[in-house]
């Protein structure tokens, strides 16, 4: 399996400094700063990139799980919400919400929920983020 890389460069102190994050694939390069991470400033942040990774991983994991069970999804769309909170005085990824909608012909709502929950547990990013206290899933069949 391939090794994926990204890099970040930070210049200056925490509050006044600034940085840039780049993906190995060159598909994304974005600035980040204290305001973009801990306030509502412009730019990206590590939590946003984790959310993108989790949404992408879960969508693929759900599609794969549905196929293994004999269902062919037409569409799976996922939003991941990463909650950065102060826990014991330290910034912590305290909770992640996965909100997904899937169009899957011929599946019952109960079977869909069962497969979606299993996909959440099996998703590589979910497993990597096992230290996050809570990862919830709201799955909607459309």
């Amino acid at each position: 399996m391939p090794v994926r890389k990204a890099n970040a460069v930070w210049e200056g102190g925490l509050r006044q400094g600034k940085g840039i994050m780049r993906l190995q694939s060159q598909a994304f390069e974005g600035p980040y700063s204290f305001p973009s991470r801990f306030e509502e400033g412009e730019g990206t942040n590590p939590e946003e990139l984790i959310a993108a990774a989790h949404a992408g991983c879960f969508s693929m994991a759900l599609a794969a799980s549905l196929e293994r069970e004999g269902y062919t999804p037409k569409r799976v769309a996922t939003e991941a919400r990463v909650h950065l909170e102060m826990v014991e005085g330290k910034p912590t990824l305290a909770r992640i919400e996965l909100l997904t909608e899937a169009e899957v012909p011929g599946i019952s709502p109960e079977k869909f929920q069962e497969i979606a929950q299993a996909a959440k547990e099996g998703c590589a990013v979910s497993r990597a983020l096992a230290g996050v206290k809570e990862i919830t899933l709201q799955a909607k069949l459309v």
Side-chain angles (χ1 to χ4, degrees):
M1 303 285 289
V3 173
R4 306 296 184 200
K5 298 183 287 185
N7 67 59
V9 175
W10 185 263
E11 297 174 339
L14 175 63
R15 291 189 183 273
Q16 302 305 318
K18 62 183 178 175
I20 191 156
M21 293 186 275
R22 294 179 183 92
L23 302 183
Q24 170 188 359
S25 66
Q26 299 179 5
F28 172 80
E29 177 178 303
Y32 71 117
S33 64
F34 184 90
S36 73
R37 186 161 191 206
F38 299 106
E39 299 166 356
E40 295 296 329
E42 290 187 27
T44 190
N45 54 70
E47 293 73 28
E48 183 176 56
L49 297 175
I50 288 170
H54 206 172
C57 182
F58 175 76
S59 290
M60 290 180 77
L62 180 54
S65 296
L66 287 162
E67 279 189 328
R68 274 193 302 277
E69 294 286 332
Y71 302 98
T72 302
K74 286 188 173 185
R75 181 174 181 270
V76 176
T78 304
E79 176 180 302
R81 297 176 181 174
V82 174
H83 295 258
L84 180 65
E85 298 173 3
M86 294 301 284
V87 175
E88 298 176 0
K90 297 177 184 162
T92 303
L93 301 184
R95 182 169 41 108
I96 299 174
E97 298 168 89
L98 296 173
L99 297 91
T100 195
E101 287 188 358
E103 187 177 347
V104 187
I107 194 169
S108 72
E110 297 79 18
K111 186 67 173 174
F112 174 70
Q113 291 298 324
E114 173 189 319
I115 293 171
Q117 287 296 329
K120 179 186 75 120
E121 301 303 322
C123 164
V125 174
S126 289
R127 292 194 325 267
L129 297 171
V132 175
K133 187 174 182 177
E134 181 181 19
I135 299 176
T136 64
L137 170 65
Q138 181 181 15
K140 181 179 179 182
L141 187 59
V142 294

